[in-house]
Structure formats: C-alpha cells, structure tokens
Amino acid sequence: MKRLVAAAGVFALVASGCSGSPEPVAVGTLTPLDGRVEVLHDVTWEAVTEPTELVPGDQVRSDAEGGAQLQLSDTGRIEIGPASRVRMGSAGGAELMLGAVLAEGSGLSVDVGRVTISPLDTSAFRIDRALSTRVGVYSGRARIAAPGGPVTVNSLWQAVVVAQAVPTAATPLRVLPKDPWDRRMLGRAIDVGLSILSLERGVRASVNAQEDSAAAIAEALPAPMAPARVAGLLRAHQLTGSKIFVSLALASQVAKPAGILPVARAIIRRVELGASWIVVVAALDLVRPTLLETVGDILTSIPGLGGGPGGGPSSDPSQPPDDGSPSPDPTDGPTSPPPPPAECAPDDQACEVQ
C-alpha cells in the first residue's frame, strides 16, 4: 500500500509539472507577401494569409510565385524568396534549407548547413542556396562562419560557400538588372551602370582604332592627363582601351586632377576582378543626374565619335542595352600591380600634376 501511495504521488508531481510547462516563445512574425506561403507547425503544412507568429522548429515554404517577410527582432528581418524553405531557430536566427533570402538589419543570423552568415553592425545581404551557396552583400559587411575558416564580405562583394564548409575569396557582386532584390537595393545605380555600358560599347571600336589611343584619351578628359600616364595604364592592364577610358572618365567625376590616376586604378582593378559598371557606379556613389551627360560628353569628344561622318556611339546613351546583361570582359590572368610612374617631359606640366 505504501508503495502504491508513493507511486501515485510521483505520478501527480510529474503530471502537475507537465501541465504547467510554458508554451514555446515566439521568435518571429511571418507576413505573406506574394503567391502561396505555408507554415509547418507540427506535421501538417498550412497556408497562411495574415501575420503569424512562429516558434523554434517551425518551417516556412513558398511556391514559385511566393514570398514572405520574417521579422526576427526590432532590428532584423529576412525576406523569403520564391520556391524557398526556411526553418526557425532561436531568437534572431533561421536556417535556409532551400532557395534564397534577403537579410536586412542587425542582430540576426542565417544558417546554411554548417555555415552561419551574420551581419557585422547593420547590413543588407542575400543568400542564394543551390548546389553551392552565394552570399552577396549590398551594404555594410557580412561574416561567413564556416569550418573552412571565417570570411568577411564587404559591401558590393560576394563569396561562394562550397560543400557547406569552405567559403571562397570575395569577388565583385554579380548583379542581374531584372532581379527584384538587385533592382530594389541598387536602384538608380543599375540604370546608370547599364547606360555607361552602352556608352562604352559605342565608343569601343573608335577608341581601339585610334593610332595613338593614349593621346586621344588624354586629350578628351576634362582635366588633361599626360599621354604617358594613360599609355602606362594601357600597357599594365588587360582591359580594352575603352574600359580604361571610361574608368578615367568616372574617376574624373569624384577626384581632383591630382587624384584621377589613383582612383582610376582602383576602378580598373575592380573591373579586372569582374565588376560590372553597375557595381562600379554603386561603389563610387555616382548616381547623379549629370553623370551620364558628363561622361557622354567626354566620350564623344574623342575625334571621330561626334556626330557626322566620323560616326557616333552605336546606341542611345540614355537607354540601357537591349540584352540587359552587364557582363564584363573576362581577364586573361591575374591582376597586375599599379604601373610605375612614367617619365615626364621637362615641359609637360599635366604629367607633373599626375
């Protein structure tokens, strides 16, 4: 009898403890945006059409037209893209199981297998998971913590995680002009970058056909640059003359005459690594209404590029190219170090300034 009474007491204590166990604490609020969005709470997927609180372990999936916003905290949120699947972690964390997410703010983290991506301070970055995982940063910085070692990715750069373990070295951000997130985050820089691409394509043949392209480029710049300096750039880098020219024209918009050459070298290095003009424009913060007009004036000031018999740019500089693809020319080898200063003629004051 005593044993029965003791067992009954233990059962009562266990039962009272279970009945008083706290409910799981919500760690995020899901708001459907487009298409069909479903949540897995226990074993059944249910469609959601209004804001819903989620707890650790809940999963969210979207169809091919779907999308949702996941508010993780007051300072961090994640947007879930189409055909994606996310599992909730602890407060401020989630796991991307399939598809893509856009993370904005601070105080959050996104797991991809054994890899964790989190912002440093406040940033905006996207994660695209397929056979490999791409982490592209729009603003601020993101940290990739992986078994292969941590990697910090700066604004307008990206890194690829292979086999959920080894992040590659950062490369310039790949931008697709029609991608909704690229369009939202880079906005005007996409339009300006595509127009500069159109200008560069239109001037390419004429610049490359010049017998003395270095002299033609130097004479066309608003702040005259010594032809010897321009020739040094052309010899030291694998880019076409037109890309060198556009780099110098852009540098002239953000630097004083004495600083055009260093800024141009930085632009050239980024383009050699694979950056599009969109990324260059965004990095220089050159989203001013007068930029295209100024660069267009510089380009068309080269002999033979104005109107008339000499010909002109092959497309309207105010319109992006038809294919919408800003892919840069590939490089043939590793980037070259900055070229050494060229010798200046005794009476070449422009050269001395540079």
Side-chain angles (χ1 to χ4, degrees):
M1 179 63 69
K2 290 181 179 180
R3 290 177 180 175
L4 290 175
V5 171
V10 171
F11 178 80
L13 288 174
V14 172
S16 62
C18 292
S19 62
S21 60
E23 292 292 328
V25 177
V27 292
T29 301
L30 178 73
T31 302
L33 299 176
D34 298 297
R36 182 177 177 84
V37 178
E38 297 178 324
V39 172
L40 177 66
H41 284 295
D42 295 312
V43 295
T44 304
W45 287 97
E46 298 179 356
V48 293
T49 57
E50 57 186 22
T52 303
E53 291 189 341
L54 303 180
V55 300
D58 285 350
Q59 294 186 37
V60 181
R61 70 182 181 188
S62 58
D63 65 8
E65 304 295 330
Q69 179 176 290
L70 183 58
Q71 191 73 39
L72 296 176
S73 65
D74 293 338
T75 57
R77 64 182 181 182
I78 293 174
E79 185 172 328
I80 302 171
S84 300
R85 186 168 176 175
V86 171
R87 176 163 48 204
M88 298 300 300
S90 57
E95 178 186 2
L96 175 60
M97 305 171 70
L98 177 70
V101 295
L102 172 65
E104 298 180 82
S106 60
L108 60 89
S109 65
V110 181
D111 293 334
V112 180
R114 297 178 295 168
V115 176
T116 300
I117 302 98
S118 55
L120 295 175
D121 299 324
T122 300
S123 65
F125 58 91
R126 66 181 297 158
I127 306 173
D128 298 86
R129 181 174 185 179
L131 295 178
S132 59
T133 299
R134 179 175 75 105
V135 180
V137 180
Y138 292 112
S139 63
R141 298 182 299 156
R143 183 176 186 271
I144 304 175
V151 169
T152 297
V153 184
N154 295 322
S155 175
L156 300 174
W157 293 79
Q158 66 179 36
V160 176
V161 180
V162 182
Q164 300 183 16
V166 183
T168 63
T171 57
L173 180 66
R174 175 172 57 87
V175 178
L176 300 177
K178 294 182 180 179
D179 181 273
W181 290 342
D182 286 351
R183 171 62 62 176
R184 183 198 311 172
M185 302 305 296
L186 298 179
R188 179 66 175 157
I190 291 180
D191 299 327
V192 174
L194 289 178
S195 296
I196 289 177
L197 174 63
S198 180
L199 285 168
E200 187 254 327
R201 285 174 172 171
V203 80
R204 183 180 302 166
S206 297
V207 169
N208 295 343
Q210 295 283 338
E211 293 183 3
D212 188 357
S213 58
I217 292 173
E219 291 173 3
L221 291 173
M225 178 177 291
R229 298 290 188 180
V230 178
L233 289 177
L234 293 171
R235 288 194 304 267
H237 296 278
Q238 298 294 325
L239 300 182
T240 62
S242 59
K243 287 188 181 296
I244 298 288
F245 182 87
V246 172
S247 298
L248 288 165
L250 292 176
S252 71
Q253 294 295 292
V254 295
K256 295 180 179 179
I260 291 177
L261 194 59
V263 174
R265 284 175 177 162
I267 295 173
I268 290 168
R269 180 62 59 84
R270 193 183 287 259
V271 173
E272 282 183 322
L273 289 173
S276 66
W277 291 124
I278 295 171
V279 170
V280 170
V281 168
L284 295 175
D285 194 23
L286 282 173
V287 192
R288 299 198 297 265
T290 60
L291 174 65
L292 288 176
E293 180 181 351
T294 302
V295 174
D297 290 343
I298 297 171
L299 292 173
T300 54
S301 65
I302 297 179
L305 286 182
S314 61
S315 56
D316 183 352
S318 66
Q319 298 297 326
D322 293 337
D323 60 7
S325 175
S327 301
D329 293 337
T331 58
D332 297 327
T335 57
S336 306
E343 294 295 331
C344 296
D347 59 347
D348 193 342
Q349 296 181 354
C351 181
E352 293 297 336
V353 169
Q354 294 302 328

